[in-house]
Amino acid sequence: MAASFENKVVLITGAASGIGRATAIKLAGLGAKLALTDINEAALTETSSLCTSDTHFLSAFDVGSTEASTAFVATTVERFGGIDHVFNCAGINPTAYPTADVTDAYWDKLMNTNIKGLFNITRACIPHLKSGASFVNVSSLLGLVGGAQFATYCATKHAIIGFSKSIALELGPKGIRTNVIAPGYIDTPTNALVVSGAQAVEKGCKNVALGRFGTADEVADVVVFLFSDASRYMNGSVVEINGGRL
């Protein structure tokens, strides 16, 4: 039987597409009240329209902004009375660059969203969380291994795991859990291989034991599990979702 999130307040960043959107739709169907954000306002509104309930609060902004992130969390608490779960899904997928060719602008862009954005939202939420609350943060296959020409992206995704494990230790005594998902090849609009076309996808599938890319819905199922009481003794865990990458 699916977990119930009736009257639970879930904050989701990166909710306009892919994994963030799929998770929002799934949690709405389970009764959650949602605070959704993304930098893409039009796509964020579309996500809300796809949810089966209308108890949502939307705000389009860059999570790399400390002021905007803090204001979003404060407004969420004001509207809903608190926050039960936080899904830090906002992130920028990688482009392959030899490290010598990485510009300051590219480095800053990935760090600002993937790391600072995660920090901004987490820091702002912590004072409002009670025992039973939890975070799920999104790392990557490349948060566990290296990748030639992906050093900047790997740096951000490794950092998410270190940050999350530290938060798990810091907040665990208060009954607040923090876990991480590390997706592999997932069929989302911003996946670099999907963007590259069918030939790149076919090549990528050869590196997956199940022979296909995962779906955003399959990742959302894991996120819901990590928020639920079924995972109540999981804290500081990194869950790989990669179909068995060879």
Side-chain angles (χ1 to χ4, degrees):
M1 184 173 66
S4 172
F5 285 82
E6 198 71 35
N7 294 321
K8 297 293 185 182
V9 178
V10 185
L11 186 154
I12 302 176
T13 70
S17 65
I19 295 167
R21 171 179 284 184
T23 303
I25 293 169
K26 195 169 293 288
L27 285 167
L30 295 171
K33 299 177 181 179
L34 303 177
L36 306 176
T37 184
D38 197 284
I39 200 168
N40 187 331
E41 185 172 8
L44 185 63
T45 300
E46 184 179 351
T47 293
S48 180
S49 72
L50 293 170
C51 292
T52 55
S53 64
D54 57 3
T55 313
H56 312 314
F57 163 50
L58 310 181
S59 182
F61 66 92
D62 182 352
V63 291
S65 165
T66 299
E67 294 77 13
S69 296
T70 302
F72 176 62
V73 170
T75 304
T76 298
V77 172
E78 181 181 343
R79 290 199 177 200
F80 294 137
I83 298 172
D84 295 292
H85 303 291
V86 181
F87 185 33
N88 280 307
C89 188
I92 297 173
N93 276 339
T95 302
Y97 288 124
T99 301
D101 294 340
V102 171
T103 64
D104 285 357
Y106 180 75
W107 174 272
D108 291 344
K109 182 179 181 181
L110 264 65
M111 290 291 171
N112 195 56
T113 299
N114 294 3
I115 292 298
K116 189 182 178 187
L118 170 75
F119 168 71
N120 282 341
I121 294 293
T122 301
R123 178 177 58 179
C125 284
I126 287 173
H128 304 290
L129 302 182
K130 299 177 181 178
S131 180
S134 66
F135 291 94
V136 174
N137 299 329
V138 181
S139 181
S140 167
L141 161 70
L142 289 179
L144 299 166
V145 298
Q149 300 191 341
F150 293 107
T152 302
Y153 182 76
C154 284
T156 67
K157 292 302 182 175
H158 277 72
I160 287 170
I161 291 176
F163 179 82
S164 300
K165 284 182 172 289
S166 298
I167 294 297
L169 294 175
E170 181 178 335
L171 301 182
K174 300 178 181 179
I176 300 167
R177 300 181 298 114
T178 303
N179 292 296
V180 181
I181 58 169
Y185 296 149
I186 307 300
D187 188 359
T188 64
T190 58
N191 182 297
L193 292 179
V194 173
V195 171
S196 297
Q199 191 172 12
V201 170
E202 183 179 358
K203 183 178 179 180
C205 286
K206 292 178 181 178
N207 294 321
V208 180
L210 292 182
R212 64 174 178 85
F213 279 19
T215 68
D217 279 342
E218 289 171 324
V219 179
D221 284 337
V222 179
V223 178
V224 170
F225 165 72
L226 290 173
F227 282 149
S228 76
D229 286 342
S231 65
R232 59 192 174 275
Y233 197 59
M234 294 180 68
N235 185 38
S237 298
V238 180
V239 183
E240 298 181 49
I241 313 170
N242 60 28
R245 190 170 184 273
L246 304 176

